[in-house]
Amino acid sequence: MANPTGFMDYKREEMLSIPPQERIGNNNEFHLLLDSKKQEIQAKRCMQCGIPFCQAGIEIKGQVIGCPNLNLIPEWNDLLSRGLWDLAYYRLSLTMPFPEITGRICPAPCENSCVCNANGDSVTIKDNELALAEYAFSNNLIQPRNIKRNGKKIAIIGSGPAGLACANELNLLGYKIDVYERDDRAGGLLMYGIPDVKLEKNIVLRRIKIMEEDGIRFYTNYNIDTQQKFNDILSQYDKVILALGARKARKLHIEGEDLKGVYNALDFLSAHTKALLDSKPNPLSAKGKNVVVVGSGDTSTDCVAVALRQGAKNITRLERSPCKPLKRKTDNPWPEFPIILRTDYGIEEVIAINKYDPRQFSTAPKILKGNRALRKVITTKLEWNTINGKKKSTEVLESTKELEADIVLKAMGFSGCEDNVSEIFGITLANGVIVEKNFATTRQNVYACGDCRIGASLVVSAIKEGRECAKTVHNDLRQYSV
C-alpha cells in the first residue's frame, strides 16, 4: 500500500541536470537519473488519490489533461515505491510500448494534472517512467518474444511514433509486419525531428533493433512517391496503414520568405542530426551566424539549443504571443493546463551562456530582406485584444525594428499532411488531414493513424493513435475471417 502522506513527507527531487556551461560543448543528453533508493522515494510521493487526473487522457479548453495513452500511473508508482522494479516496469509496459522514449521527450501532461500539483509540486512521473525503462534494459527484462503468426501481412507506411506503436501492437497479435520509411534510418520524427540532447539516437536504434528481433521488418530509403508504388504495396498485403505524420510546415506569408537562409525548423534539425550520424559537414550549420527563430513551442526551443551548440553568433526567438505570467491566474485553475511562462532548456542555455534572454514577445517578422541571401529581418510589435471571445492581434504602428539575420528558422508548427498525399495514396483529405471513419480511410483496406489523421500532436498521443488503430485493424480482419 502506498504511503498516504508521502507527498508531505518527501520533497520533489528531479533528475540531475548538467549545467549549461558544460553541456553545450557536446550533443549528448544532459540529465542523470537519481539512484534507485531516491527514485523509490519519489514514487512514494504518489498519493493514490481517489480521482487520478494524471491518467485522465482528456482535453479541457483544447489542452491535454493527463496521459493521452491512459498509463495507469498510480499502479506502477505504487510498485516502484515498494522497490518492486520488475513488476512496476511490466505494469508500465502494458500500456506504454516505448517508455524509454516518452520518459525523455514527453512534455508530461500527467505531471501538470497530478493532484499534488494543485497546491504543491507534482510527482516526478516522467522521471519515474524513464528510470523504470532504463532499469528494464539494464536487467534484460526486454527480450525478443516467440510470437505465433496468423498468416496475415500488414504494411505500415512511416516509422514515427504512431507507426512504431501500431507495428508493435499488430506484431504481438501475430501479424507479419513490414514498415516502410523514406528516410535512411527508421524512427521518423524520433530520429530526425528531435535533437540528440533530448533523445540520443542510440536510444531509438536500440528500440528498432528489439522490434526487428521480434520479427518486424524495416525497409528504409523506401520513398513511396507515386501511385504505382503504393498500388504495388497494397496488392501484397491484407491491410496497409498510413502513419505519415503531418509534415507540411506553416508558412510566414511575408516578403522575402524564399531567400536563401530561410529554412523550415524540421529541415534544420534533420540536417544537424544527419551530420552527426554520418560524421559529415552540415550544410545548414549556424556557426558564426545571426539566427532568428520564429515560434514558441518545443521545436523552436530545440532550434535555439542546436544553433547554440553549432556556434551561432547571435540567437533571437520571435514569439507572436505576449509574455505569459509566472504563476497561474484565477481563470486558469488546476487541473487545466497551466498557462505560465516556462524557460525551457534551450532558452535557459542562451541566458546562461550569452547573458541575455533570446525571446522577444508580442513580436512578428514583417519583412525578410536580402539580395538573394537573407540579411535582415524587419519585425513589428503586436497588440493583443479579446474580440468576441477570441484573442486577436494587431500591428503596433511605428514599432518596426531591424535584426541582423543570416538564418531564419520557421518553427510555427505544421498545417497537416504534405500536398501529394491524396494523389499518391488515393485517399481523401479535409483540412489537411486524412478523412477516415474509425481509422479506415476512404480507400478500401487502407487505414491511417497518428498526426496524418488528427493533426500535429504530442508523441504520446501518436503512440496512443498507433495502438488504437492496431486494435481496429485486428478487429476488422477477424470479422472478415469469420
Side-chain angles (χ1 to χ4, degrees):
M1 185 70 180
N3 182 353
T5 61
F7 69 101
M8 297 187 293
D9 298 337
Y10 309 107
K11 292 183 178 180
R12 176 183 169 99
E13 184 176 0
E14 299 177 6
M15 288 191 295
L16 302 175
S17 181
I18 298 173
Q21 290 84 352
E22 296 179 34
R23 70 193 193 217
I24 66 157
N26 57 60
N27 290 280
N28 302 331
E29 294 178 8
F30 53 86
H31 291 112
L32 305 173
L33 286 168
L34 302 176
D35 65 52
S36 60
K37 291 302 177 184
K38 285 186 176 181
Q39 208 70 62
E40 291 169 11
I41 287 173
Q42 289 306 301
K44 290 180 188 294
R45 297 189 67 247
C46 184
M47 60 192 292
Q48 298 287 302
C49 44
I51 300 178
F53 283 84
C54 61
Q55 61 188 41
I58 60 175
E59 284 194 8
I60 298 179
K61 296 182 179 179
Q63 296 287 352
V64 176
I65 305 300
C67 178
N69 206 51
L70 308 181
N71 288 335
L72 298 179
I73 295 163
E75 294 186 19
W76 49 259
N77 265 335
D78 177 39
L79 293 167
L80 175 58
S81 74
R82 292 187 278 147
L84 302 174
W85 286 72
D86 290 40
L87 290 176
Y89 169 73
Y90 286 131
R91 188 66 197 84
L92 168 62
S93 67
L94 290 177
T95 56
M96 173 48 66
F98 318 126
E100 76 280 9
I101 292 174
T102 50
R104 285 176 162 86
I105 64 172
C106 183
C110 54
E111 293 192 19
N112 290 328
S113 309
C114 173
V115 174
C116 291
N117 202 34
N119 293 295
D121 295 325
S122 66
V123 175
T124 57
I125 300 170
K126 181 177 173 180
D127 290 1
N128 294 353
E129 179 180 8
L130 179 57
L132 286 172
E134 291 305 319
Y135 169 85
F137 278 104
S138 298
N139 289 274
N140 299 315
L141 300 186
I142 303 171
Q143 296 288 337
R145 292 159 286 197
N146 185 19
I147 301 169
K148 184 179 178 181
R149 299 297 166 187
N150 59 26
K152 291 184 171 60
K153 296 170 59 181
I154 296 175
I156 297 176
I157 315 299
S159 67
L164 292 179
C166 193
N168 182 74
E169 201 82 14
L170 288 168
N171 186 57
L172 292 176
L173 290 168
Y175 296 95
K176 186 70 186 75
I177 305 298
D178 291 340
V179 180
Y180 294 88
E181 170 58 53
R182 65 181 174 184
D183 287 328
D184 60 344
R185 294 174 176 87
L189 173 72
L190 304 176
M191 179 59 66
Y192 284 123
I194 298 172
D196 288 52
V197 292
K198 285 171 66 173
L199 178 62
E200 291 185 13
K201 301 316 159 194
N202 64 301
I203 301 299
V204 180
L205 294 172
R206 180 177 65 179
R207 176 56 65 175
I208 298 297
K209 183 175 183 293
I210 291 167
M211 296 178 74
E212 289 175 330
E213 291 172 348
D214 269 345
I216 299 172
R217 291 191 299 183
F218 290 88
Y219 296 90
T220 55
N221 284 317
Y222 204 109
N223 189 12
I224 302 170
D225 54 1
T226 66
Q227 293 179 10
Q228 187 59 52
K229 284 184 180 180
F230 181 63
N231 290 339
D232 289 344
I233 285 179
L234 188 57
S235 66
Q236 299 174 47
Y237 296 90
D238 295 282
K239 302 286 185 182
V240 175
I241 299 166
L242 305 179
L244 310 171
R247 298 179 62 168
K248 183 178 180 181
R250 289 195 175 96
K251 293 185 177 181
L252 292 168
H253 297 293
I254 60 176
E255 180 184 334
E257 190 166 3
D258 295 329
L259 288 171
K260 182 181 178 182
V262 182
Y263 306 109
N264 291 326
L266 189 57
D267 294 336
F268 175 74
L269 296 175
S270 297
H272 178 71
T273 297
K274 189 162 179 56
L276 292 175
L277 289 170
D278 295 341
S279 300
K280 293 182 178 179
N282 182 359
L284 301 186
S285 175
K287 185 175 182 179
K289 297 179 180 179
N290 295 301
V291 178
V292 175
V293 181
V294 183
S296 58
D298 290 340
T299 300
S300 70
T301 299
D302 293 340
C303 287
V304 169
V306 168
L308 184 64
R309 282 163 175 75
Q310 290 178 352
K313 179 180 178 182
N314 185 69
I315 302 172
T316 303
R317 188 168 87 171
L318 304 181
E319 304 188 23
R320 292 183 57 87
S321 56
C323 183
K324 297 180 177 64
L326 294 175
K327 295 183 178 180
R328 285 180 185 266
K329 291 188 175 181
T330 55
D331 60 353
N332 176 221
W334 177 91
E336 290 182 8
F337 182 85
I339 303 174
I340 57 176
L341 180 66
R342 300 173 186 271
T343 302
D344 291 328
Y345 79 106
I347 304 300
E348 176 192 40
E349 291 168 353
V350 173
I351 293 172
I353 304 303
N354 293 352
K355 309 304 180 185
Y356 65 85
D357 191 326
R359 296 171 291 193
Q360 293 189 13
F361 299 101
S362 295
T363 307
K366 185 175 182 178
I367 301 172
L368 306 181
K369 298 181 70 174
N371 182 13
R372 295 187 180 178
L374 179 70
R375 288 291 176 264
K376 293 182 180 180
V377 176
I378 309 300
T379 68
T380 184
K381 300 296 291 185
L382 301 175
E383 183 178 40
W384 290 88
N385 294 289
T386 301
I387 302 174
N388 297 324
K390 294 184 178 180
K391 291 184 178 180
K392 294 186 177 181
S393 64
T394 54
E395 182 179 338
V396 177
L397 298 178
E398 299 181 357
S399 65
T400 57
K401 289 185 178 180
E402 283 192 356
L403 292 176
E404 298 292 329
D406 305 295
I407 290 179
V408 162
L409 301 175
K410 299 182 290 183
M412 304 96 66
F414 303 90
S415 60
C417 297
E418 292 163 295
D419 292 332
N420 57 1
V421 163
S422 179
E423 178 184 352
I424 291 172
F425 300 103
I427 55 176
T428 303
L429 297 183
N431 299 317
V433 296
I434 296 173
V435 174
E436 49 72 45
K437 184 177 182 180
N438 196 23
F439 299 99
T441 72
T442 53
R443 186 168 184 179
Q444 188 176 10
N445 293 326
V446 180
Y447 295 72
C449 66
D451 289 3
C452 66
R453 186 183 87 98
I454 62 174
S457 64
L458 302 176
V459 166
V460 70
S461 297
I463 291 172
K464 175 190 176 184
E465 278 279 301
R467 295 178 66 231
E468 291 188 346
C469 180
K471 294 174 185 176
T472 296
V473 171
H474 177 57
N475 289 334
D476 287 354
L477 281 168
R478 284 197 301 176
Q479 292 174 4
Y480 177 78
S481 298
V482 173

